[in-house]
Amino acid sequence: MRTPCGTILAAGSLVLAASAMAADASAGDAALTERIRKDHPRMFFNADTWPRMKENAKGPARASLDALLKRVDSYPENPVCADFGPVQFHEVKTAGGTHKTTAASPIVNVKEWGSQAAECALAWRFTGERRHLEKARKMLETSVAAYHAAYRNRRAVNWYSTSRILALCAYDWIWEGLSEDERRAIIVPLVQHVEDVQPGKDKPNIVRSNCSGIETGFYGVSSLLWYSGLAAYGDGFCDDLARGQLRRGRALCLKMVKIRSDGAGDDGALSSAVPAYCVGAYPWAHFNFFHTWLSATGENPAPSYPGLALFPNWIYWTWIQNEARPDMPLYCGFGDDQHTQNAFQVNRLYEHMSQYIHFFRDANLAAARLAASLRDRAPSKSFAGDWPMYPFILCRGEEYGVKPYTPDELENLPLHARHFESLGQIVMRSGWKGESTYCTFGETA
């Protein structure tokens, strides 16, 4: 189907040679590990790209650096973890009566320091101050112990893998400042934890373990494998286990991005028709993999998955203009979304659209321009804060020279309907203004 401004988002119009990474998806361990750079850091940035991040921190990302350092200064010198004991099932009183919690009920997350350790690691790299390094090291050692305690008590650390991916990043980022014994004390039990929590028929049941797979958000325990293997491989402490995790994790990531790219078709759908998911945590999985493959090998895998570039098109078509409150765009309400406000969840829109510009501006400039147009409409012109390195990687002054479409180009579109086949959605509208008429039909199971 055609889309805004002629053919700007037709995936079939791209003629791209798959990168070596996609071509050898089934290659052996030797082919894979040979391409991983041997030095640290290599997750999200490396010795070659770090100077640019420092320049960004002095310039367009200065406010993010100031906020990061302020947070890091507020963290304790001697961090303590909590809530890693056995889950207690009990009765809960509500307005409608009482009910018993079960293994399916939400539980309190383990209070650990993986995300904060990553912030401290970045602070150390930006400032060189030893106190930041020490905070990061202590946070990692304490958190790793809490992860193992939680596993012994058969409870999940967190529904999301975010904080543990960041713990692995923190190790990678402070590797140069640690002694060999300090490295071993962190990475060996951390890699073992990742192995322990992987699903398997002979594994113990973990309360609220998230096995989110490659066809959904892929932010559960299986997503940890790639990052664990990448952080640890070649350090000489647990190389065999790390190599296996690297191989398994990469295979899962490749399948995940292929499913997402293929499922987008020529429309740009992304695994789910619910903004809370597809404009929430879902994009992290493919962008984090792209970033880390790029930083570890020097190869940008994104152009090999052209369908992923089209996701801004789905946002554009399902976005209902709210002229009374431009900072609160509307949506038809679909799936898990309710009709109480019909609010389009866009708190991470600025960050996600920056990623699409970053990775696809050369492969599909039209798609990047649409991403820039949507980013301009984001209520918050800042990064969401879940991943502390993004502001320094993605913030580039004039934003790569990608020019957004004009309001006339976006609003005066001759096409008035779009079929998102993989989501079972048909979106119709008379225009893209507040007074326009909007209608969405969705298939049900």
Side-chain angles (χ1 to χ4, degrees):
M1 272 189 170
R2 297 307 186 197
T3 189
C5 316
T7 61
I8 67 171
L9 293 182
S13 67
L14 293 173
V15 181
L16 296 170
S19 70
M21 182 203 66
D24 74 346
S26 60
D29 290 349
L32 168 60
T33 55
E34 180 65 26
R35 295 156 73 175
I36 303 295
R37 61 189 298 148
K38 304 301 187 289
D39 62 331
H40 292 269
R42 58 192 178 209
M43 298 176 71
F44 290 95
F45 56 86
N46 55 44
D48 302 321
T49 59
W50 174 248
R52 186 175 67 231
M53 287 181 63
K54 290 192 73 172
E55 286 302 310
N56 288 342
K58 295 176 183 177
R62 181 69 209 198
S64 295
L65 176 60
D66 291 342
L68 172 73
L69 296 178
K70 184 176 181 180
R71 289 195 302 273
V72 166
D73 282 340
S74 72
Y75 297 149
E77 299 289 340
N78 295 296
V80 176
C81 297
D83 294 323
F84 45 74
V87 177
Q88 301 295 325
F89 299 111
H90 56 279
E91 286 193 349
V92 177
K93 291 184 178 181
T94 66
T98 62
H99 68 275
K100 289 186 177 181
T101 58
T102 68
S105 303
I107 63 173
V108 175
N109 293 327
V110 174
K111 291 183 173 62
E112 38 89 24
W113 300 88
S115 298
Q116 294 88 343
E119 291 185 313
C120 292
L122 286 174
W124 172 67
R125 297 196 67 89
F126 282 127
T127 68
E129 294 186 23
R130 184 78 188 180
R131 62 193 180 93
H132 299 321
L133 173 67
E134 285 301 306
K135 276 189 178 182
R137 180 184 63 80
K138 291 178 181 178
M139 287 174 173
L140 289 176
E141 291 179 348
T142 303
S143 296
V144 169
Y147 300 158
H148 281 270
Y151 179 72
R152 288 193 300 271
N153 290 317
R154 303 296 184 257
R155 70 178 297 151
V157 171
N158 195 298
W159 186 251
Y160 295 92
S161 58
T162 304
S163 63
R164 282 170 286 178
I165 291 175
L166 286 172
L168 290 158
C169 289
Y171 167 81
D172 175 63
W173 298 343
I174 65 172
W175 187 92
E176 299 160 286
L178 300 175
S179 68
E180 185 169 328
D181 287 343
E182 288 170 334
R183 294 168 189 161
R184 181 185 293 105
I186 293 169
I187 198 59
V188 172
L190 188 49
V191 170
Q192 186 59 53
H193 165 73
V194 171
E195 193 66 27
D196 288 344
V197 297
Q198 296 309 304
K201 66 177 183 178
D202 297 325
K203 294 290 189 73
N205 291 325
I206 304 298
V207 178
R208 289 290 286 176
S209 178
N210 181 1
C211 298
S212 168
I214 57 176
E215 295 183 348
T216 57
F218 198 51
Y219 42 62
V221 293
S222 297
S223 68
L224 290 166
L225 288 167
W226 164 251
Y227 303 97
S228 180
L230 188 58
Y233 180 71
D235 285 359
F237 304 126
C238 49
D239 285 351
D240 288 343
L241 183 54
R243 184 188 299 108
Q245 291 183 353
L246 196 65
R247 173 181 54 79
R248 290 148 58 201
R250 175 173 175 267
L252 287 171
C253 288
L254 288 175
K255 290 178 182 177
M256 177 265 300
V257 292
K258 187 177 188 305
I259 287 170
R260 292 184 177 191
S261 183
D262 291 349
D266 65 346
D267 298 299
L270 183 64
S271 302
S272 173
V274 181
Y277 299 139
C278 65
V279 194
Y282 276 29
W284 292 341
H286 57 266
F287 284 130
N288 286 345
F289 177 59
F290 288 166
H291 277 293
T292 48
W293 183 265
L294 177 61
S295 61
T297 69
E299 302 168 1
N300 178 10
S304 296
Y305 302 95
L308 281 174
L310 310 181
F311 179 56
N313 186 56
W314 179 85
I315 299 176
Y316 167 69
W317 271 90
T318 55
W319 179 302
I320 299 175
Q321 301 278 36
N322 184 357
E323 292 183 354
R325 288 289 307 272
D327 61 326
M328 291 182 62
L330 302 174
Y331 174 65
C332 67
F334 194 88
D336 288 2
D337 279 357
Q338 304 300 311
H339 288 286
T340 53
Q341 292 182 314
N342 278 32
F344 202 123
Q345 299 193 34
V346 290
N347 58 313
R348 295 187 175 95
L349 183 67
Y350 184 88
E351 177 180 295
H352 290 332
M353 294 303 100
S354 296
Q355 299 274 23
Y356 283 99
I357 296 169
H358 178 82
F359 279 108
F360 294 108
R361 67 189 186 280
D362 295 328
N364 191 335
L365 179 60
R369 289 186 65 191
L370 184 57
S373 304
L374 295 170
R375 189 182 60 176
D376 282 352
R377 287 165 171 76
S380 172
K381 303 297 190 293
S382 62
F383 295 91
D386 302 276
W387 304 92
M389 61 284 186
Y390 278 160
F392 311 105
I393 296 174
L394 300 174
C395 201
R396 296 280 192 88
E398 291 302 314
E399 306 297 352
Y400 314 98
V402 175
K403 182 181 179 181
Y405 289 105
T406 67
D408 282 347
E409 288 176 311
L410 294 171
E411 293 170 3
N412 299 314
L413 187 69
L415 185 65
H416 296 303
R418 191 93 191 190
H419 182 201
F420 295 90
E421 292 92 341
S422 64
L423 298 181
Q425 276 188 328
I426 296 175
V427 179
M428 297 186 293
R429 66 191 188 194
S430 63
W432 202 49
K433 297 180 179 180
E435 68 270 17
S436 301
T437 300
Y438 299 82
C439 183
T440 299
F441 291 93
E443 297 176 5
T444 58

